Coordinates of all heavy atoms in Angstrom, one line a residue:
M69 N 0.8 -1.2 0.0 CA 0.0 0.0 0.0 C 0.9 1.2 0.0 O 1.8 1.3 0.7 CB -0.9 0.0 1.2 CG -2.3 -0.2 0.9 SD -3.1 0.0 2.4 CE -4.7 0.2 1.9
E70 N 0.4 2.2 -0.7 CA 1.2 3.4 -0.9 C 0.6 4.5 0.0 O -0.6 4.7 0.0 CB 1.1 3.8 -2.4 CG 1.9 5.0 -2.7 CD 1.8 5.3 -4.2 OE1 1.9 4.4 -5.0 OE2 1.6 6.5 -4.5
N71 N 1.4 5.2 0.7 CA 1.0 6.3 1.5 C 0.9 7.6 0.6 O 1.9 8.0 0.1 CB 1.9 6.6 2.7 CG 1.8 5.6 3.8 OD1 0.8 4.9 3.9 ND2 2.8 5.5 4.6
R72 N -0.3 8.1 0.5 CA -0.5 9.3 -0.3 C -0.7 10.5 0.7 O -1.4 10.4 1.6 CB -1.8 9.2 -1.2 CG -1.6 8.2 -2.3 CD -2.7 8.3 -3.2 NE -2.4 7.4 -4.3 CZ -3.1 7.5 -5.5 NH1 -4.0 8.3 -5.6 NH2 -2.8 6.6 -6.4
K73 N -0.1 11.5 0.3 CA -0.2 12.7 1.1 C -1.5 13.4 0.8 O -1.9 13.4 -0.4 CB 1.0 13.7 0.9 CG 2.3 13.2 1.4 CD 3.4 14.2 1.2 CE 4.7 13.7 1.7 NZ 5.7 14.7 1.6
Q74 N -2.1 14.0 1.8 CA -3.3 14.8 1.6 C -2.9 16.1 0.8 O -1.9 16.7 1.2 CB -3.9 15.2 2.9 CG -4.7 14.1 3.5 CD -6.2 14.1 3.0 OE1 -6.6 15.1 2.4 NE2 -6.9 13.1 3.3
P75 N -3.7 16.5 -0.2 CA -3.4 17.7 -0.8 C -3.7 18.9 0.1 O -4.5 18.8 1.0 CB -4.3 17.7 -2.0 CG -5.4 16.8 -1.7 CD -4.8 15.8 -0.7
I76 N -3.1 20.0 -0.2 CA -3.3 21.2 0.6 C -4.8 21.6 0.4 O -5.4 21.5 -0.6 CB -2.4 22.4 0.1 CG1 -1.0 22.0 0.4 CG2 -2.8 23.7 0.8 CD1 0.0 23.1 -0.1
S77 N -5.4 22.0 1.5 CA -6.8 22.3 1.5 C -7.1 23.4 0.5 O -6.3 24.4 0.4 CB -7.2 22.8 2.9 OG -8.6 23.2 2.9
K78 N -8.2 23.3 -0.2 CA -8.5 24.2 -1.3 C -8.9 25.6 -0.7 O -8.9 26.6 -1.4 CB -9.6 23.7 -2.2 CG -10.9 23.4 -1.4 CD -11.9 22.8 -2.4 CE -13.2 22.5 -1.5 NZ -14.1 21.8 -2.3
D79 N -9.3 25.6 0.5 CA -9.8 26.9 1.1 C -8.7 27.6 2.0 O -9.1 28.4 2.8 CB -11.1 26.8 1.8 CG -11.1 25.8 2.9 OD1 -10.0 25.1 3.1 OD2 -12.0 25.7 3.7
W80 N -7.5 27.3 1.8 CA -6.5 27.9 2.7 C -6.4 29.4 2.4 O -6.0 30.2 3.2 CB -5.1 27.2 2.6 CG -4.4 27.4 1.3 CD1 -4.5 26.6 0.2 CD2 -3.4 28.3 1.0 NE1 -3.7 27.0 -0.8 CE2 -3.0 28.1 -0.3 CE3 -2.8 29.4 1.7 CZ2 -2.0 28.9 -0.9 CZ3 -1.9 30.1 1.1 CH2 -1.5 29.9 -0.2
W81 N -6.7 29.8 1.1 CA -6.7 31.2 0.8 C -7.7 32.0 1.6 O -7.4 33.1 2.1 CB -6.9 31.5 -0.7 CG -5.7 31.3 -1.5 CD1 -5.4 30.3 -2.3 CD2 -4.6 32.3 -1.6 NE1 -4.1 30.5 -2.9 CE2 -3.7 31.7 -2.5 CE3 -4.3 33.5 -1.0 CZ2 -2.5 32.4 -2.8 CZ3 -3.2 34.1 -1.3 CH2 -2.2 33.6 -2.2
S82 N -8.9 31.4 1.7 CA -9.9 32.1 2.5 C -9.6 32.2 3.9 O -9.9 33.2 4.6 CB -11.3 31.5 2.2 OG -11.3 30.1 2.5
K83 N -9.0 31.1 4.5 CA -8.6 31.1 5.9 C -7.5 32.2 6.1 O -7.6 32.9 7.1 CB -8.1 29.7 6.3 CG -9.2 28.7 6.3 CD -8.6 27.3 6.7 CE -9.6 26.2 6.7 NZ -9.0 24.9 7.0
T84 N -6.6 32.2 5.2 CA -5.5 33.2 5.3 C -6.1 34.6 5.3 O -5.7 35.5 6.1 CB -4.5 33.0 4.2 OG1 -4.0 31.7 4.3 CG2 -3.3 34.0 4.3
L85 N -7.0 34.9 4.3 CA -7.6 36.2 4.2 C -8.4 36.5 5.5 O -8.3 37.7 6.0 CB -8.4 36.3 3.0 CG -8.9 37.6 2.6 CD1 -7.8 38.6 2.3 CD2 -9.8 37.6 1.4
A86 N -9.1 35.6 6.0 CA -9.9 35.8 7.2 C -9.0 36.1 8.4 O -9.3 37.0 9.2 CB -10.7 34.6 7.5
G87 N -7.9 35.4 8.5 CA -7.0 35.6 9.6 C -6.3 37.0 9.5 O -6.0 37.7 10.5
A88 N -5.9 37.3 8.2 CA -5.2 38.6 8.0 C -6.2 39.8 8.3 O -5.8 40.7 9.0 CB -4.7 38.7 6.6
V89 N -7.3 39.8 7.7 CA -8.2 41.0 7.8 C -9.0 40.9 9.1 O -9.0 41.9 9.9 CB -9.1 41.0 6.6 CG1 -10.1 42.2 6.7 CG2 -8.3 41.2 5.3
L90 N -9.8 39.9 9.3 CA -10.6 39.8 10.5 C -9.8 39.6 11.8 O -10.2 40.0 12.8 CB -11.7 38.7 10.3 CG -12.7 39.0 9.2 CD1 -13.6 37.8 9.0 CD2 -13.5 40.3 9.5
G91 N -8.7 38.9 11.7 CA -7.8 38.8 12.8 C -7.2 40.1 13.2 O -7.1 40.4 14.4
W92 N -6.9 40.9 12.2 CA -6.3 42.3 12.5 C -7.4 43.2 13.2 O -7.1 43.8 14.2 CB -5.9 42.9 11.2 CG -5.6 44.4 11.3 CD1 -6.3 45.4 10.8 CD2 -4.4 45.0 12.0 NE1 -5.7 46.6 11.2 CE2 -4.5 46.4 11.9 CE3 -3.4 44.4 12.7 CZ2 -3.6 47.2 12.4 CZ3 -2.4 45.3 13.2 CH2 -2.6 46.7 13.1
T93 N -8.6 43.2 12.7 CA -9.6 44.0 13.3 C -10.0 43.5 14.7 O -10.3 44.3 15.5 CB -10.9 44.1 12.3 OG1 -11.3 42.8 12.1 CG2 -10.5 44.8 11.0
L94 N -10.0 42.2 14.8 CA -10.3 41.7 16.2 C -9.2 42.0 17.2 O -9.5 42.4 18.3 CB -10.5 40.1 16.1 CG -10.8 39.4 17.4 CD1 -12.2 40.0 17.9 CD2 -10.9 37.9 17.2
A95 N -8.0 42.0 16.7 CA -6.9 42.4 17.6 C -7.0 43.9 18.0 O -6.7 44.2 19.2 CB -5.5 42.1 16.9
L96 N -7.4 44.7 17.1 CA -7.6 46.1 17.4 C -8.7 46.3 18.4 O -8.5 47.1 19.4 CB -7.9 46.9 16.1 CG -6.8 47.1 15.1 CD1 -7.3 47.8 13.9 CD2 -5.7 47.9 15.7
A97 N -9.8 45.6 18.2 CA -10.9 45.7 19.2 C -10.5 45.2 20.5 O -10.8 45.9 21.6 CB -12.1 45.0 18.6
L98 N -9.8 44.1 20.6 CA -9.4 43.6 21.9 C -8.4 44.5 22.6 O -8.5 44.6 23.8 CB -8.9 42.1 21.7 CG -9.9 41.1 21.3 CD1 -9.2 39.7 21.1 CD2 -11.0 41.0 22.3
A99 N -7.5 45.0 21.8 CA -6.6 46.0 22.4 C -7.3 47.2 23.0 O -7.0 47.8 24.0 CB -5.5 46.4 21.4
G100 N -8.4 47.7 22.2 CA -9.2 48.8 22.7 C -9.9 48.5 23.9 O -10.0 49.3 24.8
L101 N -10.4 47.3 24.0 CA -11.1 46.9 25.2 C -10.2 46.8 26.4 O -10.5 47.3 27.5 CB -11.8 45.5 25.1 CG -13.1 45.5 24.2 CD1 -13.5 44.1 23.9 CD2 -14.2 46.3 24.9
F102 N -9.0 46.4 26.2 CA -8.0 46.3 27.3 C -7.6 47.8 27.7 O -7.4 48.1 28.9 CB -6.7 45.6 26.9 CG -5.7 45.6 27.9 CD1 -5.8 44.7 29.0 CD2 -4.6 46.5 27.9 CE1 -4.8 44.8 30.0 CE2 -3.6 46.5 28.9 CZ -3.7 45.7 29.9
A103 N -7.5 48.7 26.7 CA -7.2 50.0 27.0 C -8.2 50.7 27.9 O -7.9 51.4 28.9 CB -7.0 50.9 25.7
W104 N -9.5 50.4 27.6 CA -10.6 51.0 28.4 C -10.8 50.3 29.8 O -11.0 51.0 30.8 CB -11.9 50.9 27.7 CG -12.1 52.1 26.7 CD1 -11.9 52.0 25.4 CD2 -12.5 53.4 27.1 NE1 -12.2 53.3 24.9 CE2 -12.6 54.1 25.9 CE3 -12.9 54.0 28.3 CZ2 -12.9 55.4 25.9 CZ3 -13.2 55.3 28.3 CH2 -13.3 56.0 27.1
F105 N -10.7 49.0 29.8 CA -11.1 48.3 31.0 C -9.9 47.6 31.7 O -10.1 46.9 32.7 CB -12.1 47.2 30.6 CG -13.3 47.8 30.0 CD1 -13.6 47.7 28.7 CD2 -14.2 48.6 30.8 CE1 -14.7 48.2 28.1 CE2 -15.3 49.2 30.2 CZ -15.6 49.0 28.9
G106 N -8.7 47.8 31.2 CA -7.5 47.3 31.9 C -7.2 48.1 33.1 O -7.9 49.0 33.5
P107 N -6.1 47.8 33.7 CA -5.7 48.5 35.0 C -5.6 50.0 34.8 O -5.1 50.5 33.8 CB -4.3 47.9 35.3 CG -4.2 46.6 34.6 CD -5.1 46.8 33.4
D108 N -6.2 50.7 35.7 CA -6.2 52.2 35.7 C -7.0 52.9 34.6 O -6.9 54.1 34.4 CB -4.8 52.8 35.8 CG -4.1 52.4 37.1 OD1 -4.8 52.1 38.1 OD2 -2.9 52.2 37.1
G109 N -7.7 52.1 33.8 CA -8.6 52.7 32.8 C -7.8 53.3 31.6 O -6.6 53.1 31.4
I110 N -8.5 54.1 30.9 CA -8.0 54.7 29.6 C -6.9 55.7 29.8 O -6.0 55.9 29.0 CB -9.1 55.2 28.7 CG1 -8.6 55.5 27.3 CG2 -9.7 56.5 29.3 CD1 -8.5 54.3 26.5
A111 N -6.9 56.4 31.0 CA -5.9 57.4 31.2 C -4.6 57.0 31.9 O -3.9 57.9 32.3 CB -6.6 58.5 32.1
A112 N -4.4 55.7 32.0 CA -3.2 55.3 32.7 C -1.9 55.7 31.9 O -1.9 55.7 30.7 CB -3.2 53.8 32.8
P113 N -0.9 56.2 32.6 CA 0.3 56.6 32.0 C 1.0 55.4 31.3 O 1.1 54.3 31.9 CB 1.2 57.2 33.1 CG 0.6 56.7 34.3 CD -0.8 56.4 34.1
Q114 N 1.6 55.7 30.2 CA 2.3 54.7 29.4 C 1.5 53.5 29.0 O 2.1 52.5 28.5 CB 3.6 54.2 30.1 CG 4.7 55.2 30.2 CD 4.5 56.1 31.4 OE1 4.0 55.6 32.4 NE2 5.0 57.3 31.3
K115 N 0.2 53.5 29.2 CA -0.6 52.4 28.8 C -0.8 52.3 27.2 O -0.9 51.2 26.7 CB -2.0 52.5 29.4 CG -2.8 51.3 29.2 CD -4.1 51.4 30.0 CE -4.8 50.1 30.1 NZ -6.0 50.2 30.9
S116 N -0.7 53.5 26.6 CA -0.9 53.5 25.1 C 0.2 52.7 24.4 O 0.0 52.0 23.5 CB -1.0 54.9 24.6 OG 0.2 55.6 24.9
Q117 N 1.4 52.8 25.0 CA 2.6 52.0 24.4 C 2.4 50.5 24.5 O 2.6 49.8 23.6 CB 3.9 52.5 25.1 CG 5.1 51.9 24.4 CD 5.4 52.6 23.1 OE1 5.0 53.7 22.8 NE2 6.2 51.9 22.3
F118 N 1.9 50.1 25.7 CA 1.7 48.7 25.9 C 0.6 48.2 25.0 O 0.7 47.1 24.4 CB 1.4 48.4 27.4 CG 1.1 47.0 27.7 CD1 2.1 46.1 27.7 CD2 -0.2 46.5 27.9 CE1 1.9 44.7 28.0 CE2 -0.5 45.2 28.1 CZ 0.6 44.3 28.2
V119 N -0.5 48.9 24.9 CA -1.7 48.5 24.1 C -1.2 48.4 22.6 O -1.6 47.5 21.9 CB -2.9 49.5 24.3 CG1 -3.9 49.2 23.3 CG2 -3.4 49.4 25.7
M120 N -0.4 49.4 22.2 CA 0.1 49.3 20.8 C 0.9 48.1 20.6 O 0.7 47.4 19.5 CB 0.9 50.5 20.5 CG 1.5 50.6 19.1 SD 2.7 51.9 18.9 CE 4.1 51.3 19.8
W121 N 1.7 47.7 21.5 CA 2.6 46.5 21.3 C 1.8 45.2 21.5 O 2.3 44.1 21.1 CB 3.8 46.6 22.2 CG 4.8 47.5 21.7 CD1 5.0 48.8 22.1 CD2 5.7 47.3 20.6 NE1 6.0 49.3 21.4 CE2 6.5 48.4 20.4 CE3 5.9 46.2 19.8 CZ2 7.4 48.5 19.4 CZ3 6.9 46.3 18.8 CH2 7.6 47.5 18.6
M122 N 0.7 45.2 22.1 CA -0.1 43.9 22.3 C -0.9 43.6 21.1 O -1.4 42.4 21.0 CB -0.9 44.0 23.6 CG -2.1 44.9 23.5 SD -3.0 45.0 25.1 CE -3.8 43.4 25.1
I123 N -1.1 44.5 20.2 CA -1.9 44.2 19.0 C -1.3 43.1 18.2 O -2.0 42.1 17.7 CB -2.1 45.5 18.1 CG1 -3.0 46.4 18.9 CG2 -2.7 45.1 16.8 CD1 -3.1 47.8 18.3
A124 N 0.0 43.1 17.9 CA 0.7 42.2 17.0 C 0.6 40.7 17.6 O 0.3 39.8 16.9 CB 2.1 42.6 16.8
P125 N 0.9 40.5 18.9 CA 0.8 39.1 19.4 C -0.7 38.6 19.3 O -0.9 37.4 19.0 CB 1.3 39.2 20.8 CG 2.1 40.4 20.9 CD 1.5 41.4 19.9
I126 N -1.6 39.4 19.6 CA -3.0 39.0 19.5 C -3.4 38.6 18.1 O -4.0 37.6 17.8 CB -4.0 40.0 20.1 CG1 -3.8 40.3 21.5 CG2 -5.5 39.7 19.7 CD1 -4.6 41.4 22.1
W127 N -3.0 39.5 17.2 CA -3.2 39.2 15.7 C -2.6 37.9 15.3 O -3.2 37.1 14.6 CB -2.7 40.4 14.9 CG -3.0 40.3 13.5 CD1 -4.0 39.6 12.8 CD2 -2.3 41.0 12.4 NE1 -3.9 39.8 11.5 CE2 -2.9 40.7 11.2 CE3 -1.2 41.8 12.4 CZ2 -2.4 41.1 10.0 CZ3 -0.7 42.3 11.2 CH2 -1.3 42.0 10.0
M128 N -1.3 37.7 15.7 CA -0.6 36.5 15.2 C -1.2 35.2 15.9 O -1.3 34.2 15.2 CB 0.9 36.6 15.5 CG 1.6 37.6 14.7 SD 1.5 37.2 12.9 CE 0.3 38.4 12.4
L129 N -1.7 35.4 17.1 CA -2.4 34.2 17.7 C -3.7 33.9 17.0 O -3.9 32.7 16.7 CB -2.7 34.6 19.2 CG -3.3 33.5 20.0 CD1 -2.2 32.4 20.2 CD2 -3.7 34.0 21.4
V130 N -4.5 34.9 16.6 CA -5.7 34.6 15.9 C -5.3 34.1 14.5 O -5.9 33.1 14.0 CB -6.5 35.9 15.7 CG1 -7.7 35.7 14.8 CG2 -7.0 36.3 17.1
F131 N -4.3 34.7 13.9 CA -3.9 34.3 12.5 C -3.4 32.8 12.5 O -3.7 32.1 11.6 CB -2.8 35.2 12.1 CG -2.6 35.3 10.6 CD1 -1.8 36.3 10.1 CD2 -3.3 34.5 9.7 CE1 -1.7 36.5 8.7 CE2 -3.1 34.7 8.3 CZ -2.4 35.7 7.8
S132 N -2.7 32.4 13.5 CA -2.2 31.0 13.6 C -3.3 30.0 13.8 O -3.3 28.9 13.3 CB -1.1 30.9 14.6 OG -1.6 31.1 15.9
F133 N -4.3 30.3 14.6 CA -5.4 29.4 14.9 C -6.5 29.4 13.9 O -7.4 28.5 13.9 CB -6.1 29.7 16.3 CG -5.3 29.3 17.4 CD1 -4.6 30.1 18.3 CD2 -5.1 27.9 17.7 CE1 -3.9 29.7 19.4 CE2 -4.4 27.4 18.7 CZ -3.7 28.3 19.6
V134 N -6.5 30.3 12.9 CA -7.5 30.3 11.9 C -7.5 29.0 11.0 O -8.5 28.6 10.4 CB -7.4 31.6 11.0 CG1 -6.3 31.5 10.0 CG2 -8.7 31.9 10.3
Y135 N -6.3 28.4 10.9 CA -6.2 27.2 10.1 C -6.8 26.0 10.7 O -6.9 24.9 10.1 CB -4.7 26.9 9.7 CG -4.2 28.1 8.9 CD1 -3.4 29.0 9.5 CD2 -4.5 28.2 7.6 CE1 -2.9 30.1 8.8 CE2 -4.1 29.3 6.8 CZ -3.2 30.2 7.4 OH -2.8 31.3 6.7
L136 N -7.3 26.1 12.0 CA -7.9 25.0 12.6 C -9.4 24.9 12.3 O -10.1 23.9 12.6 CB -7.8 25.1 14.2 CG -6.3 25.0 14.7 CD1 -6.3 25.2 16.2 CD2 -5.7 23.7 14.3
F137 N -10.0 25.9 11.7 CA -11.4 25.8 11.2 C -11.5 24.8 10.1 O -10.6 24.6 9.3 CB -11.8 27.2 10.7 CG -12.1 28.2 11.8 CD1 -11.1 29.2 12.1 CD2 -13.2 28.1 12.6 CE1 -11.3 30.1 13.1 CE2 -13.4 29.0 13.6 CZ -12.5 30.0 13.9
R138 N -12.7 24.2 10.0 CA -12.9 23.2 9.0 C -12.9 23.8 7.6 O -12.6 23.2 6.6 CB -14.2 22.5 9.2 CG -14.2 21.6 10.4 CD -15.5 20.9 10.5 NE -15.5 20.1 11.7 CZ -16.6 19.6 12.3 NH1 -17.8 19.8 11.7 NH2 -16.5 18.9 13.4
S139 N -13.4 25.1 7.4 CA -13.5 25.7 6.1 C -13.2 27.2 6.3 O -13.3 27.7 7.4 CB -14.8 25.5 5.5 OG -15.8 26.2 6.2
G140 N -12.9 27.8 5.2 CA -12.7 29.2 5.2 C -14.0 30.0 5.5 O -13.9 31.0 6.2
A141 N -15.1 29.5 5.1 CA -16.4 30.1 5.4 C -16.7 30.1 6.9 O -17.1 31.1 7.5 CB -17.5 29.4 4.7
R142 N -16.3 29.0 7.6 CA -16.5 29.0 9.1 C -15.5 30.0 9.7 O -15.9 30.6 10.7 CB -16.2 27.6 9.6 CG -17.4 26.7 9.5 CD -17.1 25.4 10.2 NE -18.2 24.5 10.0 CZ -18.7 23.8 10.9 NH1 -18.3 23.8 12.1 NH2 -19.7 23.0 10.6
A143 N -14.3 30.1 9.2 CA -13.4 31.0 9.8 C -13.9 32.4 9.7 O -13.8 33.2 10.6 CB -12.0 30.9 9.1
V144 N -14.4 32.8 8.5 CA -15.0 34.1 8.3 C -16.2 34.3 9.2 O -16.3 35.4 9.8 CB -15.4 34.3 6.8 CG1 -16.2 35.6 6.6 CG2 -14.1 34.3 5.9
L145 N -17.1 33.4 9.3 CA -18.2 33.6 10.1 C -17.9 33.7 11.6 O -18.4 34.6 12.3 CB -19.2 32.4 9.9 CG -20.0 32.4 8.6 CD1 -20.8 31.1 8.5 CD2 -20.9 33.6 8.5
W146 N -17.0 32.9 12.1 CA -16.7 33.0 13.5 C -15.9 34.2 13.8 O -16.1 34.9 14.9 CB -15.9 31.7 14.0 CG -16.8 30.6 14.3 CD1 -17.1 29.5 13.5 CD2 -17.5 30.4 15.5 NE1 -17.9 28.7 14.1 CE2 -18.2 29.2 15.4 CE3 -17.6 31.1 16.7 CZ2 -19.0 28.7 16.4 CZ3 -18.4 30.6 17.7 CH2 -19.1 29.4 17.5
L147 N -15.0 34.6 13.0 CA -14.2 35.8 13.2 C -15.0 37.1 13.0 O -14.9 38.0 13.8 CB -13.0 35.9 12.3 CG -11.9 34.9 12.7 CD1 -10.7 35.0 11.7 CD2 -11.4 35.1 14.1
A148 N -16.0 37.0 12.1 CA -16.9 38.2 11.9 C -17.8 38.3 13.2 O -18.0 39.4 13.6 CB -17.7 38.0 10.7
A149 N -18.3 37.2 13.7 CA -19.1 37.3 14.9 C -18.3 37.8 16.1 O -18.8 38.6 16.9 CB -19.7 35.9 15.2
A150 N -17.0 37.3 16.2 CA -16.2 37.8 17.3 C -15.9 39.3 17.2 O -15.9 40.1 18.1 CB -14.9 37.0 17.3
N151 N -15.7 39.7 15.9 CA -15.5 41.2 15.7 C -16.7 42.0 16.0 O -16.6 43.0 16.7 CB -15.2 41.4 14.2 CG -13.7 41.4 13.9 OD1 -13.0 42.3 14.3 ND2 -13.2 40.3 13.3
L152 N -17.9 41.5 15.6 CA -19.1 42.2 16.0 C -19.3 42.3 17.5 O -19.7 43.4 18.0 CB -20.3 41.5 15.3 CG -20.5 41.7 13.9 CD1 -21.6 40.8 13.4 CD2 -20.8 43.1 13.5
L153 N -19.1 41.3 18.2 CA -19.2 41.3 19.6 C -18.2 42.3 20.3 O -18.5 43.1 21.1 CB -19.0 39.9 20.2 CG -19.0 39.8 21.7 CD1 -20.4 40.2 22.3 CD2 -18.7 38.4 22.2
A154 N -16.9 42.2 19.8 CA -15.9 43.0 20.4 C -16.1 44.5 20.1 O -16.0 45.3 21.0 CB -14.5 42.6 19.9
Y155 N -16.5 44.8 18.9 CA -16.8 46.2 18.6 C -18.1 46.7 19.2 O -18.2 47.9 19.5 CB -16.8 46.4 17.1 CG -15.4 46.6 16.5 CD1 -14.7 45.5 15.9 CD2 -14.7 47.8 16.7 CE1 -13.5 45.7 15.4 CE2 -13.4 47.9 16.2 CZ -12.8 46.9 15.6 OH -11.5 47.0 15.1
A156 N -19.0 45.8 19.4 CA -20.3 46.3 20.1 C -19.9 46.6 21.6 O -20.4 47.6 22.1 CB -21.3 45.1 20.1
L157 N -19.1 45.8 22.2 CA -18.6 46.1 23.6 C -17.8 47.4 23.6 O -18.0 48.2 24.5 CB -17.8 44.9 24.1 CG -18.6 43.6 24.4 CD1 -17.6 42.5 24.8 CD2 -19.6 43.9 25.5
L158 N -17.0 47.5 22.6 CA -16.1 48.7 22.6 C -17.0 50.0 22.4 O -16.6 51.1 22.9 CB -15.1 48.6 21.5 CG -13.9 49.6 21.4 CD1 -13.1 49.5 22.7 CD2 -13.0 49.2 20.3
Y159 N -18.0 49.9 21.6 CA -18.9 51.0 21.4 C -19.9 51.3 22.5 O -20.1 52.4 22.8 CB -19.7 50.7 20.1 CG -20.7 51.8 19.7 CD1 -20.2 53.0 19.2 CD2 -22.0 51.7 19.9 CE1 -21.1 54.0 18.8 CE2 -22.9 52.7 19.6 CZ -22.4 53.9 19.0 OH -23.3 54.9 18.7
L160 N -20.4 50.2 23.1 CA -21.4 50.4 24.2 C -20.9 50.6 25.6 O -21.5 51.4 26.3 CB -22.4 49.2 24.1 CG -23.2 49.0 22.9 CD1 -23.9 47.7 22.9 CD2 -24.1 50.2 22.7
L161 N -19.8 50.0 26.0 CA -19.4 50.0 27.4 C -18.7 51.3 27.8 O -19.0 51.8 28.9 CB -18.6 48.8 27.7 CG -19.3 47.5 27.7 CD1 -18.4 46.3 28.0 CD2 -20.5 47.5 28.6
P162 N -17.8 51.9 27.0 CA -17.1 53.1 27.5 C -18.0 54.3 27.8 O -17.8 54.9 28.8 CB -16.1 53.4 26.4 CG -15.8 52.1 25.8 CD -17.1 51.4 25.8
P163 N -19.1 54.5 27.0 CA -20.0 55.6 27.4 C -20.7 55.4 28.7 O -21.0 56.3 29.5 CB -21.0 55.7 26.3 CG -20.3 55.1 25.1 CD -19.4 54.1 25.7
M164 N -20.9 54.1 29.1 CA -21.5 53.8 30.4 C -20.6 54.2 31.5 O -21.1 54.5 32.6 CB -21.9 52.3 30.4 CG -22.9 51.9 29.5 SD -23.0 50.1 29.5 CE -24.8 49.9 29.5
L165 N -19.3 54.1 31.3 CA -18.4 54.4 32.4 C -18.3 55.9 32.6 O -18.1 56.3 33.7 CB -16.9 53.9 32.0 CG -16.7 52.4 31.9 CD1 -15.3 52.1 31.4 CD2 -17.0 51.8 33.3
S166 N -18.5 56.7 31.6 CA -18.4 58.1 31.8 C -19.7 58.8 32.3 O -19.7 60.0 32.6 CB -18.0 58.8 30.4 OG -19.0 58.6 29.5
Q167 N -20.8 58.1 32.3 CA -22.0 58.7 32.9 C -22.0 58.7 34.4 O -21.5 57.8 35.0 CB -23.2 57.8 32.4 CG -23.5 57.9 30.9 CD -24.7 57.1 30.5 OE1 -25.2 56.4 31.3 NE2 -25.0 57.1 29.2
P168 N -22.5 59.8 35.0 CA -22.5 59.9 36.4 C -23.5 59.0 37.1 O -24.4 58.4 36.7 CB -22.9 61.3 36.7 CG -23.5 61.9 35.5 CD -23.1 61.0 34.3

């Protein structure tokens, strides 16, 4: 019997695109949430530098795990849903903090 290698998945392009675009936007939203709700709030000194540097590791983590989805469509759907949730929280929660 001959061992045949599995061909590369046909939807790896869509997974890559989902990880690149939606992973990037998700990393931005998660960094924004940390900026608002992390230690000492949004006005913490030197926090902006840390938040800026945490975007790349979050993005690469999402980007690397995107290939575990069964299809590119699932990757797009799950990452789009995560983005919607993260941006909804980012949009809705900070104004609640500033109200008296």
Side-chain angles (χ1 to χ4, degrees):
M69 251 185 161
E70 182 178 317
N71 286 339
R72 290 189 175 194
K73 290 184 179 180
Q74 280 273 346
I76 295 176
S77 177
K78 62 183 176 185
D79 59 352
W80 70 274
W81 276 105
S82 56
K83 291 179 184 179
T84 301
L85 191 60
V89 176
L90 295 173
W92 169 252
T93 55
L94 184 60
L96 289 175
L98 293 176
L101 287 169
F102 178 79
W104 274 101
F105 301 108
D108 296 332
I110 194 75
Q114 289 87 29
K115 190 173 192 178
S116 61
Q117 188 73 22
F118 179 74
V119 170
M120 179 188 71
W121 282 102
M122 73 183 284
I123 293 171
I126 294 171
W127 183 26
M128 291 299 104
L129 186 68
V130 172
F131 206 168
S132 63
F133 281 112
V134 79
Y135 297 103
L136 297 177
F137 286 102
R138 288 185 187 162
S139 68
R142 279 187 184 226
V144 169
L145 287 174
W146 278 100
L147 288 177
N151 270 287
L152 285 173
L153 178 64
Y155 278 101
L157 290 173
L158 192 58
Y159 179 75
L160 295 172
L161 292 181
M164 293 172 139
L165 292 176
S166 61
Q167 291 178 358

